[in-house]
Amino acid sequence: MPLLLLDLDNTLIDRDAAFRAAAAAFLSAHGLPDTDLPWVAAVDAGGYAPRPDVACALTDRYAGAVPPDAVSTLLDTGAADRVVLAPATREALDEARAGGWTCVIVTNGRTAQQETKIRRTGLDRLVRGWVVSEAVGRRKPEPEIFHAAAATAGLPLSGAWVIGDAPHADIAGADALGLRSVWVAHGRAWNEGAYRPTHIAADIVSAIHHVTSARD
């Protein structure tokens, strides 16, 4: 059974849209200007900024106007409470499974937060399993997290495909292991010179379709 390793945030789900919605609600709830939304999004850096740094920046900027627990709630559950799975993505995963592919999510992040996203969107019913960096003690692009994903499915890693939106985590990780990969571009241009994906796709649906229609 072929193995398909899929990133979660901004690949299977639009994590950034969910965080922006949560940040907008946060600003509104505390009477803060909605013009601050781009600043909050920039501080968050698509989820790649360390949580303590984001919390510190928000606390400093809104000292006296926002209680610290409100900042924690935004960062811990804001995006997770708002993520959705697009119907087209659900259909693509269903088609992949029907075609014999074993799908496993490989994601960096905190276990409780990432598992909330997986279960809230119903992805837990569409994939064989998942690995979260906090739980396994390794982060993409480290090879160990990809090996852990294969072990979760009980399949060899050799021959697997990797789909993700992060060049440095998903594509570099796949390249180091000799795995084929699809980069989900979201309108961006590929700028890395040291490694390249096997294929570049506009979105997750076309990425899955490319993999499932590929021939060895």
Side-chain angles (χ1 to χ4, degrees):
M1 295 179 68
L3 180 61
L4 177 55
L5 305 180
L6 299 133
D7 176 51
L8 179 63
D9 290 331
N10 296 322
T11 298
L12 286 170
I13 57 173
D14 192 340
R15 180 265 175 200
D16 284 352
F19 181 80
R20 286 193 299 270
F26 167 85
L27 294 171
S28 177
H30 298 286
L32 300 169
D34 57 9
T35 51
D36 275 11
L37 184 56
W39 177 83
V40 176
V43 168
D44 172 65
Y48 287 107
R51 183 189 181 283
D53 294 352
V54 180
C56 183
L58 290 170
T59 301
D60 287 349
R61 186 176 182 95
Y62 302 122
V66 177
D69 61 340
V71 172
S72 296
T73 298
L74 169 64
L75 300 183
D76 291 341
T77 64
D81 286 349
R82 289 170 170 79
V83 291
V84 297
L85 184 65
T89 304
R90 183 183 301 275
E91 291 171 9
L93 287 171
D94 278 336
E95 290 170 5
R97 292 193 305 158
W101 288 82
T102 298
C103 301
V104 177
I105 296 171
V106 187
T107 176
N108 289 344
R110 287 172 288 149
T111 304
Q113 189 176 64
Q114 299 304 79
E115 289 190 345
T116 296
K117 295 173 187 174
I118 291 168
R119 293 192 170 92
R120 181 174 294 278
T121 55
L123 281 165
D124 58 322
R125 300 186 293 275
L126 297 172
V127 299
R128 174 70 63 85
W130 56 84
V131 291
V132 182
S133 62
E134 183 182 64
V136 299
R138 297 288 185 172
R139 295 177 58 84
K140 294 184 292 184
E142 294 176 279
E144 291 84 358
I145 192 169
F146 295 99
H147 283 288
T152 294
L155 293 171
L157 185 59
S158 176
W161 280 82
V162 176
I163 295 178
D165 73 299
H168 68 284
D170 301 307
I171 308 308
D175 183 76
L177 288 165
L179 303 178
R180 290 169 292 182
S181 62
V182 181
W183 181 54
V184 180
H186 296 311
R188 298 167 295 169
W190 182 263
N191 294 317
E192 298 293 337
Y195 52 87
R196 289 190 62 83
T198 308
H199 180 72
I200 295 175
D203 52 48
I204 180 59
V205 173
S206 57
I208 293 174
H209 287 164
H210 176 83
V211 171
T212 57
S213 63
R215 296 291 183 265
D216 291 332

